[in-house]
Structure formats: structure tokens, C-alpha cells
Amino acid sequence: MTKKTTRRPSRAAILSFIIILAIYVLVFVAEQVLPATSMLFTVLKKGATYALVAVSMNLLNGFTGIFSLGQAGFMLIGAYVYAMFTIPVADRASVYQYFNGGIIQFTLPWFLAMILAGLVAALFAWLIGLPVLRLKSDYLAIATLGFAEIIRAVFQWKELGPVTNGSNMLRLFPNFNSFNITDADGHVVVYLSTIVPFLIAGICIGLIVLLLHSGYGRAFRAIHDDEIAAEAMGINLAHHKRMAFCISSFFAGVGGAMLAMYQTTVQAKSFTTAMTYEILLIVVIGGVGSITGSVCGSFLFVACSEWWLRFLDNEQFIGSFQVPLLRNGFRLVVFSIIIMIVVLFFRRGLFGTTELPDLFRHGRKESALK
Amino acid sequence: MNVEKGLLLLHIDDLHVSYGGIEALKGISLDVYKGDIVTLIGANGAGKSTTLRAISGLVPIKSGTITYEGGVIDGQSPQQIVSEGICMVPEGRRVFPNLTVLENLRIGAYLRRDDIQPDIEHVYDLFPRLKERSWQLAGTLSGGEQQMLAVGRALMMRPKLLMMDEPSLGLAPLVIRDIFRIIRTLHDEGITILLVEQNANAALRVADRAYVLETGSLGISGTGEELLNDPSVKEAYLGKARS
């Protein structure tokens, strides 16, 4: 009689949990064993950061059906808020050298600054959501894109210099390497610089997954499926859309703070529209509506763009034969071709709407994919 | 059948609704009594669906009043109207295709904060097919099953007034019979039903009271029986037998 139980902690869920746990253990061990300069860790750190931002974008675009392209703007806000509040007071004079050390003369612990980064991003989302969320699809996308551009300009504005340091970069704030535990001589005893971003991203993505399976998440997905029917069920469209927008922006802000840690410096001009497109690409390639897809897509994307395809940018020799075409920039050509192939053969992204536990579940999901 | 039968539940007085410049409803008035099945019949574009949408608060009304349980409800938000017990089964079913059957039912009870498990059981008792497909995505159900889910979803709010917009649309005759059987069952449970149908024959057979809508205004009205036998209704909506 135990054939068809609907109790939630199923075999598939347990297996998924074990796999995720194994990945974390593997990352931790690898960091202790392999040289810290290995490209692998660059990819893992940036991948974890992008994974969080991609999932936050998926929450909005894939699950709630709000097509927003403001992600880079919210990341910028997050990165700046984090950096501004964590630069040690002693270093402020040198960072804000053109603005007499700036006007913020205190320092927050990194995790508080990170939460603040998310909150400020969410506040901005709430404000621009008031007018912008009345728009639909393409118009909404363009409006949010415009917002991101405006934010980028505003943060470089000289008059705001005492706060944002104008167009000069913010630096000397705690970054991922600050998490490594060192002994008295400065030698690293335990490496934590990769596992910490993994943990931060993991907790945030976990929260998003919980949200999506709560009543609110169901309402978001219902809005995505059919706005009119959702309204007829008594779901307040404006309220729920604004909430999804703010929550997504909160996590984009946290992601921005992580990006600041990864880059070790922050400068507004690097948060371009191209960054939003990278995230959008990750979401689409991973599968719109799949958290697993966004996470895997992000690591694949970062690995390809930063690591695996790097050799294409340099002249390569097989024996004495020089491989033609290989020169600076060729990597991007190959990368674009790979993306086109993926999109052609996986119309709904690598994962479609499949999640990790579905991979261990037989029958049910296949029928859903018709 | 129903203890409170005979009390006025919904009263519409001189309702006007326009879309842009086009007047979809030109002053209709109708009454729905507790425990009744009231049906609105009429051709395409007569304003049947618009009437239901106006009651649900999904379209703004131009003039007129809608009174429900003695209070004026026009101008209220759809959320308020749903939480007062007016639920709609929308035209074309409109289940949420990427949500499971169970999730669709839970969305139906979105505004409720109490325990909904008994209601889920109740819906599954009414529609055993849905229970079998509890974990299936609603988009994979057949048309008839989706209609059952749409009805079940509306029942999750424990409606006092259930409004059904063309529940027989696009369904096979056998399935239509099932749907009307369900309408009778719900009626026996004491739910007041406002039914919009193009399938006038079937609708009039279950109706306690029926109204004919003609391009935005009310035509004749009467009991279902009366309208079934009315020559003009016969001719226009039931397909007069060739003489």
C-alpha cells in the first residue's frame, strides 16, 4: 500500500539534497587541496554570484511573468551599498581621496551590509515599480532597462561623490579572500573564499525556492499562467507583482554585493546593459522557469566565457602547425556559435522547467512535458 | 433543499457597461434568489459574460447598482467581491496550466486563511478524476477535466454565489451532461448559481429562473420551464422543429 504516497520528503528530494551537499563538500575540499590561483575558483566564485542573480531574474521573468531588464541596475545598487558601508574607516581617506574621505564615517559588518544592500535595492524596486509595473511585456522591459542606465549615470554623478565616490572606484572593502582563516604570519590555514559565496548563494536560492512553493509563490506562478484568471481568484495583481519585483531586486542587490566581493573593486561603469544580457542569457539557456537550469547555466556560462574557451584567444600550435583563425576575440565567436546551437537544439533551455528532484522522478514529469 | 431559499441574494438595477465607446450592457436589471439556479441565455455578444465580469468587479461599470446580500458591491475590488463569496468559473476554463491540480485548488482558496483540507477532500469527492490527477499539471488535463478543475477551484472559496460562464463550451455532449449533473449537485448543496450558457436547452432545463439577453438589454424572462416553451425563445435559441 505504500506504492503511491504523497508525503513530501520523497526519495527524489533526499537524493537532490545529498547531491547538493556533496557539491558543497567537494568545493570545500578542492579549495584546501588545489592551488588558490586555480582558474576553477574564479569560475566557482563568479558562478555562484551569477547563479543567485540569474535565479532572482528567473523568479521575476520565468515564474511571475514580468519581463524586467533592470537586473544590472539593482546589482549596482547592491554592490555600492555593500562597498560604501564596509570600507574600513581608516581606509576611507585614501578611497574617497577627492571627497575628503566621504561622509560615511562608520563601518558595518559584512553580512549586515549585504542585507542592507538587498534592502536598498528592494526599496528602489518598490519606488520604480509604482509607475513601471503598470506596463506590460516589452514596454516594461524597456522601462526597467532605462532605469538601470539612469542609475548607472546617477551613481557616477560628481555631486554624489561624498557618498558614491563619483566615477572613481570603491575598493579596500572586505572581499571573498577576507574569509580565509590565516595564522599569525599571514599564511592561510583554512581556505573559505569559495565556500562562503556558495553558502550565501545557496541560502538565498534556498529562500527563493521556499518562496516559490509557498502560497505567494503559487500566486506568482498563477499570475504568470493567466492574469485574468488569477485576478478572478482574488489575487491582487498589482500587489503581487510589486512584491515579486521587490523580492527579485532584493536578491539581485545581494548578488551585486557578492559581485563587489568577487571583483574586490566597484565602479558604476562596469554595470552595463551587457551584464543584464549575460544574466538573461543564463536564464534562457538554463531554462526559463527552472531554478536548477539557472544555477547550472550560470556555472557553464562563466566557465566557458572565463576559462574553457580562453585558449581560443591565443595562437596555438599542434606540433609545428599553427591553428588558423585563433586570435584575440575569436573566443567570443565560438561562444556565440555554441549559444546558438544550444538554443536551436534545446528550445526550452537545457532544463526546460525541470528541477533537480524531477530528474530522479519517473513518469510524472515526462507526461507533463507532453 | 435550502433553508434560506426565497431570500434575495443578488440584485442588479439598471446596469450599464461600456468598452471604449461601445455599450455592452444597456441597462439590465435582474434578481437572483438564494438557492436558485438562474441562467442568462443569449447569442454571442449579447453581454452575458460582461454581466458576470461586472458582478466580479473585473470590468468597471458605467452606471447602475449591484446589490449583494443587501450591500452595494459595485466599485469594490475583485478581491473584496471574491472574499464576500462570489466566485466565478471563467469562460474557457482558464485553469493555471503550469500548476498542478492540487495547486490550482489551493489558489482557489487563496483569500482564505483557515484550514482548506476539508474543502480539497470535498472537491475530490465531487470529482474523483481530479484526485487521481492531483500531482499532474493542469495543462495536461482533458477539456472536461479542466472544466471540473475550474469548478472545483471556484468551490474552494466556499461561494454563496457561483457564477459559471459557458461551462459547456467546447465539450463533448457526454461531458456536458456530467457538467450539468454537477450543477444540479451543487444546487442541492445549497449553492446559488448564476449560469451563462449558449447551450440554452440544457441551461433552461436546470434553471429555476431564466433571462434572455439581446445585445445588451434584457428580453423576456421567466422560469426555465416557461422559457423552454416560449415560442420566440424556441425559435431563436432552441432551434424550432421544422414543421
Side-chain angles (χ1 to χ4, degrees):
Chain A
M1 275 313 288
T2 52
K3 199 180 69 181
K4 222 176 165 186
T5 48
T6 49
R7 300 271 305 152
R8 281 339 280 274
S10 58
R11 198 178 64 96
I14 294 167
L15 270 173
S16 311
F17 180 74
I18 291 172
I19 286 178
I20 293 168
L21 196 68
I23 291 172
Y24 273 82
V25 171
L26 213 64
V27 167
F28 181 74
V29 171
E31 202 179 10
Q32 313 310 319
V33 179
L34 297 174
T37 50
S38 166
M39 203 57 203
L40 175 67
F41 300 117
T42 310
V43 168
L44 289 179
K45 288 171 199 170
K46 193 176 180 188
T49 306
Y50 269 39
L52 172 57
V53 183
V55 170
S56 81
M57 191 176 199
N58 211 342
L59 168 68
L60 205 55
N61 294 24
F63 290 97
T64 320
I66 300 172
F67 189 33
S68 156
L69 291 177
Q71 233 61 6
F74 296 115
M75 287 170 77
L76 184 152
I77 294 171
Y80 261 84
V81 169
Y82 171 77
M84 286 182 319
F85 287 103
T86 51
I87 297 172
V89 176
D91 293 323
R92 283 186 185 265
S94 72
V95 174
Y96 287 88
Q97 53 179 323
Y98 302 108
F99 300 99
N100 298 323
I103 53 167
I104 302 167
Q105 290 300 340
F106 60 93
T107 306
L108 293 177
W110 67 270
F111 58 92
L112 276 185
M114 202 167 229
I115 292 168
L116 188 67
L119 289 177
V120 174
L123 175 72
F124 271 85
W126 186 78
L127 285 175
I128 66 155
L130 290 177
V132 160
L133 285 178
R134 292 167 194 274
L135 302 171
K136 293 235 160 97
S137 60
D138 335 11
Y139 301 100
L140 176 65
I142 290 167
T144 48
L145 199 62
F147 153 77
E149 289 297 301
I150 292 168
I151 281 289
R152 193 154 60 94
V154 167
F155 271 71
Q156 296 186 70
W157 189 28
K158 211 174 160 211
E159 304 302 315
L160 286 177
V163 182
T164 62
N165 208 11
S167 57
N168 310 299
M169 64 169 60
L170 293 168
R171 56 200 167 82
L172 299 176
F173 49 81
N175 55 46
F176 288 145
N177 287 329
S178 320
F179 293 114
N180 290 336
I181 298 171
T182 51
D183 60 16
D185 305 331
H187 293 295
V188 179
V189 187
V190 185
Y191 283 97
L192 294 174
S193 67
T194 309
I195 197 76
V196 168
F198 262 67
L199 287 172
I200 299 170
I203 290 169
C204 291
I205 292 171
L207 287 174
I208 294 176
V209 170
L210 285 180
L211 171 78
L212 282 172
H213 286 90
S214 72
Y216 283 124
R218 261 197 302 278
F220 292 163
R221 287 181 289 143
I223 291 172
H224 173 253
D225 274 4
D226 192 330
E227 280 195 11
I228 293 171
E231 196 175 17
M233 295 301 112
I235 295 171
N236 185 331
L237 291 184
H239 174 73
H240 283 83
K241 281 183 173 180
R242 203 181 307 128
M243 191 156 70
F245 196 51
C246 289
I247 293 171
S248 165
S249 303
F250 174 87
F251 288 110
V254 174
M258 287 174 68
L259 192 69
M261 287 174 141
Y262 164 78
Q263 291 175 337
T264 70
T265 60
V266 174
Q267 204 165 11
K269 71 175 181 200
S270 65
F271 291 85
T272 54
T273 313
M275 187 181 271
T276 302
Y277 290 145
E278 280 179 9
I279 313 274
L280 181 65
L281 197 66
I282 290 169
V283 171
V284 171
I285 292 217
V288 177
S290 167
I291 300 285
T292 317
S294 291
V295 174
C296 294
S298 131
F299 284 104
L300 282 176
F301 176 90
V302 174
C304 283
S305 65
E306 305 268 338
W307 188 17
W308 294 340
L309 299 180
R310 277 280 174 203
F311 72 95
L312 294 169
D313 272 359
N314 305 312
E315 294 176 346
Q316 302 283 338
F317 292 91
I318 300 171
S320 60
F321 169 73
Q322 185 187 351
V323 185
L325 289 174
L326 296 189
R327 64 178 63 95
N328 206 8
F330 187 67
R331 171 177 64 108
L332 293 174
V333 177
V334 176
F335 194 39
S336 309
I337 293 170
I338 292 176
I339 288 169
M340 277 191 263
I341 291 171
V342 169
V343 171
L344 276 175
F345 287 94
F346 298 88
R347 292 278 164 93
R348 304 170 66 233
L350 292 172
F351 281 80
T353 53
T354 320
E355 297 291 0
L356 186 57
D358 298 327
L359 299 175
F360 310 109
R361 219 172 264 155
H362 302 292
R364 210 181 91 201
K365 201 71 187 184
E366 276 89 321
S367 61
L369 293 169
K370 77 168 141 213
Chain B
M1 220 183 295
N2 189 356
V3 240
E4 295 181 293
K5 189 162 175 151
L7 286 169
L8 188 60
L9 183 67
L10 182 84
H11 172 68
I12 296 179
D13 189 37
D14 196 28
L15 180 68
H16 289 258
V17 172
S18 303
Y19 294 117
I22 301 152
E23 225 181 4
L25 293 181
K26 302 165 186 164
I28 65 158
S29 303
L30 57 86
D31 294 319
V32 177
Y33 289 92
K34 265 191 186 156
D36 275 2
I37 298 180
V38 176
T39 181
L40 292 177
I41 59 171
N44 285 329
K48 307 185 299 287
S49 300
T50 305
T51 310
L52 295 196
R53 283 178 187 199
I55 298 170
S56 327
L58 292 172
V59 295
I61 71 170
K62 204 169 123 195
S63 64
T65 51
I66 303 171
T67 326
Y68 170 73
E69 289 193 311
V72 175
I73 59 162
D74 53 77
Q76 289 189 354
S77 68
Q79 295 82 301
Q80 284 170 306
I81 291 169
V82 170
S83 55
E84 280 168 50
I86 303 183
C87 294
M88 181 152 82
V89 182
E91 184 178 358
R93 312 185 262 279
R94 304 196 93 129
V95 295
F96 302 111
N98 293 310
L99 269 60
T100 64
V101 168
L102 184 61
E103 285 177 322
N104 266 276
L105 293 180
R106 286 181 182 279
I107 282 285
Y110 191 68
L111 292 176
R112 281 178 52 188
R113 290 284 167 264
D114 50 336
D115 181 26
I116 60 167
Q117 200 53 41
D119 299 79
I120 292 175
E121 297 300 330
H122 178 229
V123 170
Y124 282 164
D125 284 344
L126 280 173
F127 308 106
R129 289 287 285 279
L130 294 184
K131 188 170 191 175
E132 290 165 27
R133 303 183 187 282
S134 186
W135 293 103
Q136 206 169 310
L137 295 186
T140 64
L141 300 179
S142 73
E145 289 162 349
Q146 287 189 11
Q147 186 64 62
M148 291 171 191
L149 180 56
V151 175
R153 187 178 62 178
L155 290 178
M156 291 300 293
M157 241 353 250
R158 292 194 185 160
K160 291 177 195 154
L161 175 63
L162 183 67
M163 304 195 293
M164 304 175 93
D165 198 349
E166 308 239 8
S168 72
L169 192 75
L171 297 179
L174 268 177
V175 183
I176 294 179
R177 227 169 53 194
D178 283 347
I179 296 289
F180 276 93
R181 197 178 303 143
I182 288 298
I183 293 175
R184 280 214 178 84
T185 311
L186 298 178
H187 174 238
D188 292 344
E189 286 181 5
I191 299 173
T192 312
I193 295 167
L194 180 55
L195 176 67
V196 155
E197 260 301 342
Q198 287 208 47
N199 188 341
N201 204 341
L204 291 176
R205 274 175 210 286
V206 295
D208 295 303
R209 188 159 185 83
Y211 294 86
V212 178
L213 263 177
E214 281 161 353
T215 55
S217 29
L218 276 184
I220 59 167
S221 60
T223 64
E225 194 82 11
E226 283 166 12
L227 261 64
L228 264 179
N229 297 320
D230 185 280
S232 64
V233 172
K234 260 187 182 168
E235 186 168 358
Y237 302 106
L238 300 175
K240 193 173 62 171
R242 252 164 279 163
S243 48

